[in-house]
Each structure stands twice: as C-alpha cells, then as structure tokens.
C-alpha cells in the first residue's frame, strides 16, 4: 500500500482546491480540541505544549499530548501518543481512514509516525517556525535529515556486519506479513 495519501496544509491554497474546500468548520473544531490538550497538559504536570486528536468518520478515536518530561521518554510526543491510543481503540496498526489534528506542525519523528500509521490527512495550527520561536528545535532536525551520515550533528556510521540481513531474508521468505 502506498503512503502518498497524506496531506499537509502548508499554504493558503492547494493547487486543486480552494482554502474553503480544505479547511471546513469541523477541521477548526478538531484543531481546537488539539489546542485545548496542548494547554491543559503543561510543564507543571510534566507535559509539553502539544496536543493531537485522531478522528475517524467525525469521531475522535485517539487523543494525545506531549508526555516527554512526565514519562522521561523523548518519543512520547502528542502525535505518537494519539496514534497509539487510536490504534488500540480501533484494534489496528494502521489509521488509513483517519485524520490527525495537531496543535503544531509535527516534528520529523511524528511526521514519520503519521506516515507509518497511514493517516489520510494532517491538519495543524502552529507552524514549525512558531514551534522554533517557542524554543523547540524541530526545524534543526528537519535540516539534519538532509545531511549525510557522519556530517550530521550526531554522526551516523554504516558498519556492514555479516548476517545483518538475515532477519530481512526471513521476513521476506514468510508468506503472510500481517
């Protein structure tokens, strides 16, 4: 299954749609729910200022807020937490018919998680520039994605090891994957 169904709203118009076709009142309402989560869960209770709701057929199926500090887990972002709850509630590892509403433009990790979850669209309120203005370094990580291996701020080294591909070979040999 291709993952090209994901849509991010970056500009005022889409090539094929007007702004009014893209941003319907329900989108604003769900964004406000995500924003409310970002305000409710604050550093005082170990949370960062980010919220996300996952919606299927007009119903919220997953909610998440940033729990990085509380959980002492750098991957506990709002989107990742919302995806986990939605997948659990829907008893599925993919969210193909779902839309994610985020209080801010997802960071690169969450962008990847949203693609892996196969959501059909993502709407967000604050841009990555807004996020950078609040002291978060998402934009730096976006830039690092274009840097090669050991030139990155945290160097990455490829070390070929015998038998490293054996797990992939076993995976490919099995019939049904999921």
């Amino acid at each position: 299954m291709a993952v090209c169904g994901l849509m991010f709203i970056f500009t005022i118009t889409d090539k094929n749609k007007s702004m009014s076709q893209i941003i319907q009142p329900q989108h604003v309402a769900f964004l406000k729910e995500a924003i409310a989560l970002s305000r409710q869960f604050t550093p005082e209770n170990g949370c960062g200022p980010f919220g996300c709701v996952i919606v299927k057929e007009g119903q919220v199926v997953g909610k998440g807020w940033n729990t990085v500090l509380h959980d002492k887990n750098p991957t506990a972002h709002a989107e990742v937490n919302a995806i986990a709850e939605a997948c659990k509630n829907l008893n599925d590892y993919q969210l193909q018919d779902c839309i994610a509403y985020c209080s801010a433009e997802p960071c690169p990790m969450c962008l990847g998680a949203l693609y892996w979850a196969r959501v059909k669209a993502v709407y967000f309120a604050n841009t990555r520039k807004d996020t950078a203005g609040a002291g978060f370094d998402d934009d730096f990580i976006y830039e690092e994605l274009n840097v090669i291996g050991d030139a990155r701020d945290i160097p990455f080294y490829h070390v070929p090891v015998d038998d490293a591909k054996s797990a992939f070979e076993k995976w490919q040999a099995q019939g049904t994957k999921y």
Side-chain angles (χ1 to χ4, degrees):
M1 177 72 177
V3 291
C4 57
L6 193 63
M7 173 180 64
F8 280 86
I9 307 301
F10 287 112
T11 59
I12 293 178
T13 60
D14 181 292
K15 290 180 182 175
N16 301 317
K17 297 179 183 178
S18 71
M19 191 62 165
S20 62
Q21 289 175 305
I22 294 171
I23 303 194
Q24 299 289 321
Q26 72 270 19
H27 299 311
V28 174
F30 288 125
L31 280 170
K32 286 184 178 186
E33 283 192 50
I35 292 165
L37 290 171
S38 75
R39 288 184 180 160
Q40 179 180 355
F41 298 97
T42 62
E44 292 81 31
N45 53 23
C47 301
F50 300 94
C52 177
V53 295
I54 307 288
V55 176
K56 182 175 183 175
E57 298 171 356
Q59 300 295 315
V60 174
V61 294
K63 293 181 182 182
W65 49 91
N66 181 297
T67 58
V68 168
L69 299 175
H70 180 270
D71 295 345
K72 296 173 182 43
N73 176 354
T75 67
H77 288 201
E79 296 88 344
V80 172
N81 291 337
I83 289 167
E85 182 176 281
C87 288
K88 182 177 180 179
N89 289 340
L90 296 173
N91 195 31
D92 200 345
Y93 67 96
Q94 292 187 338
L95 303 173
Q96 292 175 328
D97 296 323
C98 297
I99 298 173
Y101 295 91
C102 309
S103 63
E105 184 174 353
C107 75
M109 178 186 69
C110 294
L111 172 75
L114 289 160
Y115 268 95
W116 282 114
R118 311 285 202 267
V119 298
K120 68 179 182 179
V122 176
Y123 291 82
F124 59 90
N126 293 306
T127 67
R128 70 172 90 158
K129 299 292 183 205
D130 298 327
T131 303
F136 294 92
D137 58 2
D138 298 21
D139 214 31
F140 165 74
I141 299 169
Y142 270 107
E143 291 172 13
E144 281 284 290
L145 293 174
N146 295 317
V147 177
I148 303 298
D150 64 353
R152 290 182 177 149
D153 197 56
I154 298 173
F156 283 62
Y157 304 102
H158 172 235
V159 181
V161 176
D162 290 342
D163 206 33
K165 294 181 184 174
S166 63
F168 292 150
E169 292 163 356
K170 184 177 179 181
W171 173 260
Q172 288 177 315
Q174 79 182 33
T176 303
K177 305 284 193 265
Y178 295 101

